[in-house]
Amino acid sequence: MKILYIEDNNINRMIFETLLSPKADIACAENGPAGLEMAAKDCYEMIVIDLNLNDPKMDGFDVLKTLRENGYCKKCSSSKLFALTSYAGDEWEKKCIEAGFDGYFNKPLDPNIILENYNGN
Protein backbone atom coordinates (compact mmCIF):
# COMPACT_ATOMS: atom_id res chain seq x y z
CA MET A 1 0.00 0.00 0.00
CA LYS A 2 1.25 3.48 -0.90
CA ILE A 3 0.28 6.37 1.36
CA LEU A 4 1.00 10.07 0.91
CA TYR A 5 0.95 12.03 4.17
CA ILE A 6 0.72 15.82 3.86
CA GLU A 7 1.68 17.40 7.21
CA ASP A 8 3.59 20.55 8.11
CA ASN A 9 4.88 19.26 11.47
CA ASN A 10 8.22 17.39 11.22
CA ILE A 11 7.62 15.33 14.35
CA ASN A 12 4.15 14.24 13.22
CA ARG A 13 5.56 13.19 9.84
CA MET A 14 8.35 11.23 11.50
CA ILE A 15 5.94 9.44 13.87
CA PHE A 16 3.50 8.63 11.05
CA GLU A 17 6.26 7.25 8.86
CA THR A 18 7.86 5.27 11.68
CA LEU A 19 4.57 3.66 12.74
CA LEU A 20 3.30 2.82 9.27
CA SER A 21 6.44 2.11 7.25
CA PRO A 22 6.57 -1.57 8.31
CA LYS A 23 3.16 -2.10 6.66
CA ALA A 24 3.05 0.53 3.89
CA ASP A 25 5.17 2.55 1.50
CA ILE A 26 5.00 6.05 3.03
CA ALA A 27 5.73 9.29 1.22
CA CYS A 28 5.60 12.53 3.18
CA ALA A 29 5.12 16.12 2.05
CA GLU A 30 5.84 19.09 4.32
CA ASN A 31 3.16 21.35 2.83
CA GLY A 32 0.26 21.47 0.41
CA PRO A 33 2.19 22.47 -2.73
CA ALA A 34 4.76 19.70 -2.16
CA GLY A 35 1.95 17.18 -1.65
CA LEU A 36 0.20 18.31 -4.83
CA GLU A 37 3.44 17.96 -6.77
CA MET A 38 3.93 14.42 -5.47
CA ALA A 39 0.32 13.49 -6.25
CA ALA A 40 0.72 14.82 -9.80
CA LYS A 41 3.59 12.38 -10.36
CA ASP A 42 2.20 9.24 -8.73
CA CYS A 43 -0.97 7.51 -7.55
CA TYR A 44 -1.39 6.58 -3.91
CA GLU A 45 -3.93 4.21 -2.42
CA MET A 46 -4.46 6.73 0.35
CA ILE A 47 -3.67 10.39 0.91
CA VAL A 48 -3.89 11.67 4.48
CA ILE A 49 -4.03 15.47 4.67
CA ASP A 50 -3.61 17.52 7.83
CA LEU A 51 -6.26 20.24 7.81
CA ASN A 52 -4.10 22.89 9.48
CA LEU A 53 -1.00 23.14 7.32
CA ASN A 54 0.20 26.40 8.87
CA ASP A 55 0.01 28.09 5.48
CA PRO A 56 -2.36 31.06 5.08
CA LYS A 57 -2.64 30.30 1.35
CA MET A 58 -3.40 26.56 1.54
CA ASP A 59 -5.00 24.43 4.23
CA GLY A 60 -6.07 20.80 3.95
CA PHE A 61 -9.41 21.71 2.41
CA ASP A 62 -7.58 23.68 -0.30
CA VAL A 63 -5.34 20.67 -1.00
CA LEU A 64 -8.40 18.44 -1.38
CA LYS A 65 -10.10 20.93 -3.70
CA THR A 66 -6.99 21.28 -5.85
CA LEU A 67 -6.52 17.50 -6.09
CA ARG A 68 -10.10 17.16 -7.32
CA GLU A 69 -9.84 20.12 -9.73
CA ASN A 70 -6.58 18.75 -11.17
CA GLY A 71 -8.20 15.38 -11.92
CA TYR A 72 -6.27 13.35 -9.38
CA CYS A 73 -9.37 11.38 -8.34
CA LYS A 74 -10.13 10.42 -11.94
CA LYS A 75 -6.53 9.49 -12.68
CA CYS A 76 -6.19 7.53 -9.43
CA SER A 77 -9.76 6.37 -9.01
CA SER A 78 -9.05 3.84 -6.26
CA SER A 79 -7.31 6.42 -4.06
CA LYS A 80 -8.98 7.44 -0.80
CA LEU A 81 -8.53 10.95 0.62
CA PHE A 82 -8.65 11.40 4.39
CA ALA A 83 -8.62 14.50 6.57
CA LEU A 84 -6.49 14.50 9.71
CA THR A 85 -6.91 17.05 12.47
CA SER A 86 -6.68 17.69 16.17
CA TYR A 87 -10.07 19.40 15.92
CA ALA A 88 -12.51 16.95 17.47
CA GLY A 89 -16.23 16.54 17.20
CA ASP A 90 -18.97 15.38 14.91
CA GLU A 91 -19.22 18.80 13.28
CA TRP A 92 -15.64 18.50 11.98
CA GLU A 93 -16.24 15.03 10.62
CA LYS A 94 -19.40 16.26 8.89
CA LYS A 95 -17.54 19.28 7.46
CA CYS A 96 -14.80 17.02 6.08
CA ILE A 97 -17.21 14.55 4.48
CA GLU A 98 -19.26 17.39 2.97
CA ALA A 99 -16.05 18.89 1.54
CA GLY A 100 -15.37 15.62 -0.28
CA PHE A 101 -12.99 13.70 1.95
CA ASP A 102 -13.55 9.93 2.07
CA GLY A 103 -13.02 9.93 5.82
CA TYR A 104 -11.74 11.75 8.86
CA PHE A 105 -9.10 10.91 11.47
CA ASN A 106 -8.41 12.57 14.81
CA LYS A 107 -4.94 13.22 16.23
CA PRO A 108 -3.21 11.50 17.85
CA LEU A 109 -3.57 8.93 15.12
CA ASP A 110 -3.56 5.20 15.73
CA PRO A 111 -1.86 3.63 12.66
CA ASN A 112 -4.16 0.62 12.90
CA ILE A 113 -7.11 2.90 12.13
CA ILE A 114 -5.44 3.92 8.87
CA LEU A 115 -4.96 0.29 7.88
CA GLU A 116 -8.52 -0.63 8.86
CA ASN A 117 -9.92 2.20 6.72
CA TYR A 118 -7.82 1.16 3.78
CA ASN A 119 -9.05 -2.40 4.06
CA GLY A 120 -12.65 -1.18 4.25
CA ASN A 121 -13.35 -2.31 7.81
Side-chain angles (χ1 to χ4, degrees):
M1 168 176 32
K2 288 173 64 173
I3 300 173
L4 173 58
Y5 181 42
I6 304 172
E7 164 70 66
D8 64 307
N9 183 289
N10 291 337
I11 294 171
N12 289 346
R13 284 195 313 271
M14 184 179 66
I15 291 169
F16 187 94
E17 190 169 17
T18 300
L19 292 175
L20 284 166
S21 62
K23 297 181 181 182
D25 180 14
I26 307 298
C28 293
E30 69 277 359
N31 57 44
L36 292 170
E37 185 176 317
M38 293 171 76
K41 294 178 183 175
D42 204 354
C43 286
Y44 298 88
E45 282 87 353
M46 181 182 287
I47 299 180
V48 179
I49 307 167
D50 181 36
L51 292 181
N52 183 9
L53 291 172
N54 238 358
D55 180 347
K57 296 180 184 174
M58 181 172 281
D59 65 10
F61 291 107
D62 296 323
V63 172
L64 172 72
K65 181 180 176 189
T66 304
L67 284 169
R68 293 201 181 279
E69 288 174 351
N70 291 348
Y72 177 82
C73 295
K74 289 181 182 174
K75 178 182 86 169
C76 305
S77 60
S78 63
S79 185
K80 293 183 179 182
L81 306 174
F82 287 88
L84 176 65
T85 184
S86 57
Y87 305 130
D90 293 338
E91 68 277 356
W92 275 99
E93 183 172 7
K94 182 180 177 186
K95 184 175 180 177
C96 291
I97 299 302
E98 287 175 352
F101 282 101
D102 295 306
Y104 164 88
F105 300 126
N106 275 326
K107 290 181 183 180
L109 183 61
D110 178 350
N112 292 316
I113 292 174
I114 294 249
L115 299 173
E116 286 171 10
N117 276 278
Y118 174 72
N119 293 323
N121 295 334

